[in-house]
Amino acid sequence: MSRTPIYGPGNPHPLSVMKTELVWEGKYDEYGNRREVDIAGCAMPLQKIETIDQPRSEAAAKGQRSLDYYEKKTKRLDDFRNRLIWGDNKLVMASLLKEFKGKIDLIYIDPPFDVGADFTMDVPIGDGKETIEKDQSTMEMVAYRDTWGRGTDSYLYMMYERLSLMKDLLSDRGSIYVHCDWRVNYFLRLVLDDVFSKDFFLNEIVWAYFAFKRKTAKKFPQKHDTILSYRKNSDSFTWNTQYKPHKPEYLKRWKQDEKGRFYRDDVNPTAGGSRIIYLDEVEGDIVDSVWDDIPPVNPVAIERTAFATQKPEGLVDRIIQASTNQGELVADFFCGSGTLGAAAERLGRRWIMADLGRFAIHTSRKRLIDLQRTLHSEGKPYRAFDVYNLGRYERQWWYKALLNGADEEHRRVVLEFFRAEVLQSTPSPLIHGRKGAAFCHVDGIDSIFTRDEVKAVAEAVAQAGGRECYCLAWEFEMDLHLTTAALEKELGVRLKLVQIPREIMEKNRKNPPPFLEVAVLEAQPVYRGQGAERTVDIKLTKFLPSLAEVPSKELAAIKDRAMKSGMDFIDFWAVDFDWQPGQPFNHHWQDYRTRKDRSLKTLSAAGHKYPQPGKYTACVKVVDTFGCDTSITVEVEV
Ligand SMILES: C[S@@+](CC[C@H](N)C(=O)[O-])C[C@H]1O[C@@H](n2cnc3c(N)ncnc32)[C@H](O)[C@@H]1O
């Protein structure tokens, strides 16, 4: 029989000794101890998939003389290469700790904070007169389920873990800025107090932007976001006071002397009479915690990308300038369209950015390449950057525990919809089915099909005497086509990457939805000139985009459109004229559509010269309007 405990001075009631704090599910373990952030198994090798120094590579491709000229014109700032990383930021940060613990001087983040947000977005195709809807990718859906699945509890848990990792990455002189709004600012402040301590709180900045006012709601219209800032720990954190131009009404208080100089002599009358201050000796109006001088990114702004939540560069410029000096390292682990990287690049800071959305990575890459080109054309320095993947996605990250053996059932359902035979006795655990003469592999539910996996599958198929295999998966690691091309050459096994359509999850679904191969791309070399003067370019001859992120209601119409004019769906393409298997893709030449200029070349204009006659492999990478990439290799002989 349980007895009611007797509380008193010797046995105080738990509530009488509790301190004020924000508690979320999972903050304490069952013994009441604070749970550590568990990053065991999260640190993974970061795989460099692209190296981007486009203007310099282009000069190098045209011959040594222009490279020398180039180096004289645009000096390298240093050898640091900025990083753009695709992946869940918990895994990304855990993987960065080894190299960057205590090394990052500023972190700005703008995490998602709209629980019920609609994540579809309109992306332009072709000349931009038409747009189509883009849905979330499976990976984004899973991440958002993790973030919001248990409402505020799971959001707080997600943010607490991320902020703790950010604290470890920050340098002793570093600080963090967290961008949020009325929906989450009240509890993010408490989580930040928890991680960084109240003592290191710096500011609650109000970013008051212009907002179109409607009289409909029975409350005051919302007109600001909140940015919470903290320093890591020491008093010697970096700080540079910021100034803005004085407002005209303030200037009216200044008098003009006979030489035309503006002055005031009434500023400090108590300190011994008049003390004259001249306006041209004052640096400007000190920026305080209300920022009402930075407009949001308007629909026609030059910096505008297709990203709905894009923040203005001016806002991030101010943060970077206040809290870092030239050459210091800044990071954004929820980077979206890459605003922080763009601001940092212009201001001469080094940067690291991460996002789990493919579209975000693509938008950031394009934006930063464009900036490299602009800075180069203005004769200004810039740094090269590399794009990374996380090497290996741990299955438990994708809810393996929760699946409880559901993988087998999932495979069977996928194969049945794909109209393939489910193999009862298989030559390898990696071969699950057969369709015609080809084998089938079905990747696990909620996981990404990686290059290690595709290699294992190809080897299993080759060993079983197969020559072709459909690899069905929900999500593919970036640049997987390059691995399949290399494997095809090495093992003679043709690997077809097929996206599992989301419609198979629909209840009571009987008819198979279309299974689409992950984009189709064809290209050929174009030669000009003879002998040592021979140049090579690449012509795109066919492209069909992957339509995995098109909402099903639009699929039929878009498919038709894609068959007729697939090239309209290309947003960006690039060529590495001397691709080496297993090496990152080197951007020698690229072309892309911008908001202002929607045209796109389908024949490269690199005029690439090889150092000596021989056979080479060029690699062509295309990113479609949904941010999905596909690559092929093209054999070249000069
Ligand atoms: C509000 S947007 C950031 C917008 C950005 N400040 C800009 O100016 O474009 C938030 C971003 O966080 C990303 N995100 C959400 N959860 C993430 C996670 N766990 N890891 C990495 N990125 C994540 C989303 O994909 C989205 O691009």
Side-chain angles (χ1 to χ4, degrees):
M1 222 171 65
S2 70
R3 281 197 298 149
T4 317
I6 300 163
Y7 296 117
N11 180 28
H13 188 282
L15 285 174
S16 72
V17 291
M18 236 178 186
K19 65 180 170 70
T20 308
E21 64 174 330
L22 183 65
V23 180
W24 54 89
E25 202 190 320
K27 183 171 179 180
Y28 291 97
D29 68 13
E30 48 278 36
Y31 303 102
N33 297 321
R34 190 69 195 262
R35 247 187 247 273
E36 295 284 310
V37 176
D38 181 14
I39 54 162
C42 291
M44 297 167 195
L46 288 169
Q47 280 177 354
K48 196 193 286 187
I49 55 168
E50 289 175 26
T51 64
I52 306 180
D53 183 347
Q54 198 265 339
R56 199 172 270 115
S57 320
E58 199 173 290
K62 290 210 157 104
Q64 196 54 41
R65 207 162 357 115
S66 51
L67 184 62
D68 288 346
Y69 166 75
Y70 180 92
E71 290 293 348
K72 275 191 204 103
K73 188 173 167 211
T74 312
K75 286 260 175 293
R76 258 181 224 278
L77 279 170
D78 53 41
D79 285 337
F80 184 84
R81 301 181 70 91
N82 296 318
R83 297 181 182 209
L84 179 61
I85 309 165
W86 181 54
D88 185 301
N89 52 18
K90 178 173 177 186
L91 308 185
V92 170
M93 287 191 276
S95 312
L96 286 172
L97 275 176
K98 197 166 160 219
E99 197 180 341
F100 291 100
K101 189 169 181 183
K103 300 256 173 69
I104 298 181
D105 302 296
L106 167 71
I107 295 176
Y108 164 81
I109 53 165
D110 169 23
F113 46 80
D114 190 356
V115 62
D118 171 7
F119 292 103
T120 55
M121 57 170 103
D122 284 336
V123 289
I125 48 172
D127 58 14
K129 290 193 186 110
E130 262 177 275
T131 57
I132 49 175
E133 240 181 61
K134 173 197 171 306
D135 233 343
Q136 265 182 303
S137 71
T138 306
M139 185 167 158
E140 288 167 304
M141 266 183 352
V142 172
Y144 279 89
R145 193 183 62 198
D146 285 3
T147 304
W148 295 111
R150 284 179 292 113
T152 309
D153 260 330
S154 46
Y155 183 75
L156 292 180
Y157 193 73
M158 184 283 278
M159 286 306 294
Y160 170 72
E161 284 193 322
R162 271 50 179 194
L163 290 169
S164 302
L165 285 163
M166 288 177 202
K167 186 177 177 198
D168 289 344
L169 288 165
L170 275 179
S171 72
D172 284 343
R173 293 176 54 76
S175 34
I176 182 164
Y177 288 70
V178 178
H179 194 132
C180 48
D181 75 3
W182 54 275
R183 280 168 284 210
V184 291
N185 60 0
Y186 58 105
F187 51 64
L188 276 187
R189 170 103 183 244
L190 290 175
V191 178
L192 280 157
D193 277 355
D194 208 311
V195 176
F196 287 88
S197 149
K198 271 195 193 70
D199 300 340
F200 298 126
F201 167 76
L202 290 175
N203 273 123
E204 178 184 83
I205 298 160
V206 168
W207 173 41
Y209 44 77
F210 168 80
F212 187 74
K213 291 178 199 157
R214 283 196 207 96
K215 227 173 101 184
T216 47
K218 283 187 176 172
K219 59 177 185 175
F220 298 112
Q222 183 66 29
K223 190 186 150 58
H224 75 274
D225 282 2
T226 309
I227 303 171
L228 301 168
S229 63
Y230 285 71
R231 60 190 200 270
K232 160 104 176 239
N233 53 27
S234 84
D235 280 341
S236 62
F237 66 102
T238 305
W239 180 253
N240 305 309
T241 301
Q242 295 299 297
Y243 300 90
K244 58 183 178 178
H246 288 291
K247 292 206 166 121
E249 47 291 9
Y250 172 80
L251 292 178
K252 281 189 202 143
R253 292 192 219 148
W254 293 71
K255 300 183 230 167
Q256 221 171 355
D257 69 12
E258 64 288 355
K259 291 189 189 132
R261 280 182 90 189
F262 284 94
Y263 72 97
R264 277 183 78 169
D265 52 9
D266 58 342
V267 177
N268 200 357
T270 51
S274 108
R275 210 165 84 180
I276 291 181
I277 313 174
Y278 286 99
L279 186 59
D280 52 22
E281 287 167 358
V282 178
E283 285 190 76
D285 188 6
I286 292 182
V287 173
D288 54 31
S289 62
V290 176
W291 297 2
D292 55 4
D293 55 332
I294 301 174
V297 183
N298 72 60
V300 292
I302 295 179
E303 63 182 89
R304 173 132 210 127
T305 66
F307 231 80
T309 52
Q310 183 183 350
K311 299 299 176 298
E313 283 182 31
L315 186 89
V316 183
D317 278 356
R318 182 169 285 169
I319 292 172
I320 293 178
Q321 282 168 319
S323 292
T324 62
N325 296 314
Q326 280 280 333
E328 290 188 338
L329 182 57
V330 302
D332 181 352
F333 297 104
F334 293 87
C335 76
S337 66
T339 306
L340 175 102
E345 189 67 62
R346 277 191 292 93
L347 297 169
R349 273 60 167 183
R350 297 173 293 142
W351 55 263
I352 297 176
M353 294 197 287
D355 201 290
L356 61 79
R358 247 177 228 276
F359 189 73
I361 295 299
H362 169 54
T363 309
S364 302
R365 167 176 49 204
K366 203 167 92 169
R367 184 167 178 186
L368 268 305
I369 289 176
D370 209 44
L371 187 57
Q372 280 189 343
R373 284 187 177 181
T374 309
L375 290 173
H376 166 61
S377 68
E378 292 169 357
K380 293 188 185 143
Y382 65 85
R383 290 186 175 87
F385 73 98
D386 298 324
V387 183
Y388 287 83
N389 253 353
L390 282 181
R392 187 169 49 94
Y393 272 81
E394 292 285 320
R395 280 292 165 78
Q396 58 265 41
W397 258 89
W398 298 94
Y399 276 69
K400 191 180 181 191
L402 294 184
L403 289 172
N404 228 346
D407 249 14
E408 285 316 307
E409 174 64 5
H410 152 254
R411 289 203 166 100
R412 188 188 57 74
V413 174
V414 171
L415 287 171
E416 280 175 5
F417 273 123
F418 190 50
R419 297 276 190 253
E421 178 194 346
V422 182
L423 290 181
Q424 299 308 336
S425 68
T426 67
S428 150
L430 293 172
I431 298 176
H432 307 117
R434 179 183 276 283
K435 187 173 170 108
F439 284 126
C440 302
H441 166 84
V442 184
D443 195 30
I445 192 164
D446 275 1
S447 72
I448 292 182
F449 193 49
T450 64
R451 52 183 86 195
D452 288 348
E453 285 172 300
V454 79
K455 186 162 188 281
V457 170
E459 282 164 0
V461 170
Q463 237 173 29
R467 311 207 35 92
E468 199 174 358
C469 182
Y470 290 103
C471 301
L472 299 131
W474 292 93
E475 183 89 39
F476 298 89
E477 188 177 355
M478 266 188 205
D479 261 357
L480 204 61
H481 277 98
L482 292 185
T483 312
T484 58
L487 287 168
E488 212 168 307
K489 257 190 178 175
E490 183 191 328
L491 303 170
V493 176
R494 183 139 194 260
L495 297 153
K496 293 182 171 170
L497 306 180
V498 178
Q499 188 91 36
I500 301 174
R502 266 188 239 158
E503 292 90 326
I504 70 163
M505 293 192 282
E506 286 166 11
K507 267 200 185 133
N508 308 325
R509 175 117 200 165
K510 295 270 172 341
N511 299 335
F515 279 71
L516 306 165
E517 240 186 276
V518 179
V520 173
L521 172 63
E522 288 169 17
Q524 65 193 38
V526 173
Y527 300 98
R528 290 194 195 89
Q530 290 303 323
E533 291 309 305
R534 188 151 219 216
T535 63
V536 180
D537 269 297
I538 300 289
K539 180 161 183 51
L540 297 181
T541 49
K542 184 170 182 186
F543 180 67
L544 289 176
S546 149
L547 298 176
E549 284 167 32
V550 174
S552 24
K553 60 180 171 25
E554 304 223 25
L555 194 63
I558 298 294
K559 212 173 158 192
D560 236 31
R561 174 89 163 72
M563 298 294 263
K564 272 193 218 120
S565 42
M567 300 283 187
D568 281 357
F569 288 76
I570 299 179
D571 191 52
F572 172 103
W573 71 289
V575 186
D576 177 346
F577 283 93
D578 192 9
W579 177 72
Q580 308 289 329
Q583 292 300 309
F585 180 99
N586 189 0
H587 284 244
H588 284 137
W589 180 91
Q590 80 261 121
D591 195 31
Y592 48 86
R593 299 184 203 270
T594 63
R595 212 174 44 80
K596 266 204 326 222
D597 182 1
R598 300 294 309 164
S599 66
L600 186 88
K601 296 184 177 75
T602 50
L603 171 64
S604 72
H608 188 89
K609 275 189 199 161
Y610 288 91
Q612 54 217 16
K615 286 188 179 168
Y616 295 86
T617 304
C619 178
V620 182
K621 174 183 284 212
V622 167
V623 183
D624 65 26
T625 201
F626 309 104
C628 297
D629 63 282
T630 184
S631 328
I632 49 161
T633 54
V634 176
E635 297 308 317
V636 175
E637 190 163 4
V638 286

